[in-house]
Each structure stands twice: as C-alpha cells, then as structure tokens.
Amino acid sequence: MRKKQIAAGLALIAGLAACATPETRVRNGLMSAGLSKPISSCMADRMVDRLSYAQIDKLNGLGKLRKRDPGDISVNEFVKRTKALQDPEILGVVTSSGLICAVK
C-alpha cells in the first residue's frame, strides 16, 4: 500500500512539473546554477522571449552550473561559463539580460 502512495505522489509531482511554464523552468535552472532569486526571475522573463526552446535546453545543459545555492555566483561568472556553449545568440541574451537585471 505504501508503494502505491509513493508512486501516486511521484506521479503528481511529475505532472505538476510538466505544467511549469518555460519561464518557471528557466528561473529554477538559473537559481540552481547559483544566481539569486531576483536576478533569476528577471533574467528568465527576458530569456524565454528571446531564446528558442533548443537554446534554453542547451543552456540548461551546462553541468557545471548545477546544485548551487541561490546567490553563490555572480552574473559575471554565469556569463563567463555561458561562453563554453559557443553560441553567440545565447551569450548575447544572457549578457544583456544579466546586465539589465543586475542594474534594476
């Protein structure tokens, strides 16, 4: 009986995660990378309007930027690590979004 409850709970969580907006997923990914919540929220709002889903997935694939506490890295460090993707459009969007959001 306990296994069924756990399975049902996991199914519910998976279903809710699937309903998350692209902006929510990007914001959570940025926070997981170590950016602060306010910066992550601001950048996610701008990035989902300017990047394709494929580019967002590519950005999410930066394995070095995972499992950090929000606020652990600066926007500058995040931009430097984004250069590894070798995608000028992603780098431009991340750089401009980071600069605008850091000034706000």
Side-chain angles (χ1 to χ4, degrees), residues 17 20-37 39-53 55-60 65 78 93-94 97:
T21 64
E23 184 178 342
T24 301
R25 290 191 305 234
V26 171
R27 182 190 69 231
N28 291 342
L30 292 171
M31 287 176 20
S32 178
L35 292 170
S36 70
K37 185 174 182 176
I39 295 288
S40 296
S41 294
C42 177
M43 286 180 69
D45 184 44
R46 296 179 48 78
M47 290 168 64
V48 296
D49 292 337
R50 292 166 178 78
L51 297 175
S52 69
Y53 289 122
Q55 289 172 315
I56 290 170
D57 284 343
K58 193 174 180 182
L59 185 61
N60 191 38
L65 298 176
F78 184 77
V93 170
V94 168
S97 296

Side-chain angles (χ1 to χ4, degrees), residues 1-17:
M1 185 61 130
R2 180 82 174 138
K3 288 182 182 180
K4 287 183 182 181
Q5 289 174 333
I6 292 172
L10 291 174
L12 177 63
I13 290 169
L16 290 174

Side-chain angles (χ1 to χ4, degrees), residues 67-86:
K67 308 293 186 216
R68 293 197 174 189
D69 292 328
D72 274 0
I73 69 168
S74 66
V75 172
N76 189 35
E77 183 178 346
F78 184 77
V79 169
K80 284 180 185 178
R81 293 183 182 216
T82 304
K83 288 180 184 179
L85 297 174
Q86 298 181 350

